[in-house]
Every structure is written in structure tokens, then in C-alpha cells.
Amino acid sequence: VGFTFAIQKDNYDVDYIGFGPNECYCDTFMLQERGRFKLKSDDMFTNYIKPQDCGNRFGTERFGLKGKDRSIEVNADKPFSFSVLPYSWKILKDTTHNWKLPESIKTYVNIDCASAGLGSNSCGPELAKKYRIDKEGGIRFSIKFC
């Protein structure tokens, strides 16, 4: 549950406080450490054979992107998740194999106030209730575009 927007394609510098340095979700974050991480946006994409949502960073307090001539800063009153990817969720969902992914023309920023854990009951057990998204709640974001 969140929002996505596209920005000019670039290999942005990403600086965040949360769990990392690798992708993690509400049920896998304990495999990562909590801290401040700096990486490139191109390194957030996981090239799975079957393209899918990836690159999530859970428990984020704040993050920033810096490009050649633009930057974005995001803060919230509660921890959130985010990813910065070269493809939209729709392209990832609709593409059957990684070698069929089109050339990326934008960078997509995904900011989520809630995300479910891994698993969907499509090829395994139903997701445990504690890793599902609550039907109530809220979060306040501030986003600064420069």
C-alpha cells in the first residue's frame, strides 16, 4: 500500500536509514542489519529469471536520491519501505522472462506505508496473518524534490 512515480532515468545515488544492504521485506528483514546505507539505484534491481517486484528496503526512516541535476528526499512519521527500480510494477508483472524486459526508459520510485511478506499462496502456503497488510492505519510522508 503506497505510491509510485517515474523520474528521469539515471543511476541515482541512494542514501537511506533502514534495513539492508540487500532487499528485505517485513518477514525477511531479520537477515539484514539496521543502519545507514549508500548504494546506486541500478544495484537495487534483482534480475530474477521471472521478473517480479524486488529491491524493497524495509523499516526505512528516511531516504534520498541524488542524480546529475536533481534530488529527492523522503521522510515519514513511521518506518516505511521503498525501492528504486528501472521498471514499473506493470512491466515486471507482464514480462514472462528477464531476457524479454524492454530497455528501461525511466526510473521508478516506489514508497510503501505497508507491504506484505513474501509468498502469495500461488505456489506454497498462504501468507501468515502477521505478514499480511493491515486494513487500517496511516502514515505521513514529506517529499522534497530539488
Side-chain angles (χ1 to χ4, degrees):
V1 177
F3 57 97
T4 299
F5 56 91
I7 55 178
Q8 184 174 336
K9 181 181 163 98
D10 197 352
N11 189 13
Y12 293 90
D13 292 317
V14 180
D15 181 355
Y16 75 98
I17 298 172
F19 287 94
N22 301 309
E23 69 180 358
C24 57
Y25 297 80
C26 64
D27 56 346
T28 62
F29 72 93
M30 64 286 292
L31 300 172
Q32 302 298 317
E33 56 186 282
R34 184 162 186 65
R36 182 175 183 183
F37 300 96
K38 295 180 180 185
L39 58 145
K40 299 298 254 179
S41 59
D42 285 355
D43 295 332
M44 294 186 76
F45 177 69
T46 304
N47 191 12
Y48 292 115
I49 292 171
K50 164 60 178 109
Q52 57 192 280
D53 185 36
C54 62
N56 190 68
R57 298 311 194 268
F58 175 79
T60 303
E61 292 177 24
R62 62 154 300 279
F63 83 91
L65 297 177
K66 190 169 203 149
K68 294 175 189 129
D69 59 354
R70 66 191 45 85
S71 66
I72 300 171
E73 295 176 21
V74 178
N75 292 282
D77 64 349
K78 296 178 189 173
F80 60 95
S81 295
F82 82 99
S83 64
V84 181
L85 302 172
Y87 302 104
S88 69
W89 66 268
K90 181 165 180 15
I91 291 170
L92 293 172
K93 180 179 85 59
D94 292 346
T95 305
T96 58
H97 294 86
N98 58 354
W99 54 270
K100 291 183 175 182
L101 283 167
E103 182 177 344
S104 174
I105 59 171
K106 298 224 179 259
T107 296
Y108 295 86
V109 179
N110 306 292
I111 302 172
D112 295 313
C113 58
S115 60
L118 299 175
S120 63
N121 201 23
S122 64
C123 61
E126 187 175 24
L127 189 62
K129 193 169 192 155
K130 68 181 178 179
Y131 298 124
R132 296 180 196 167
I133 297 174
D134 290 333
K135 296 198 186 308
E136 297 179 3
I139 188 169
R140 290 176 195 248
F141 288 99
S142 73
I143 303 174
K144 180 179 178 183
F145 296 91
C146 301

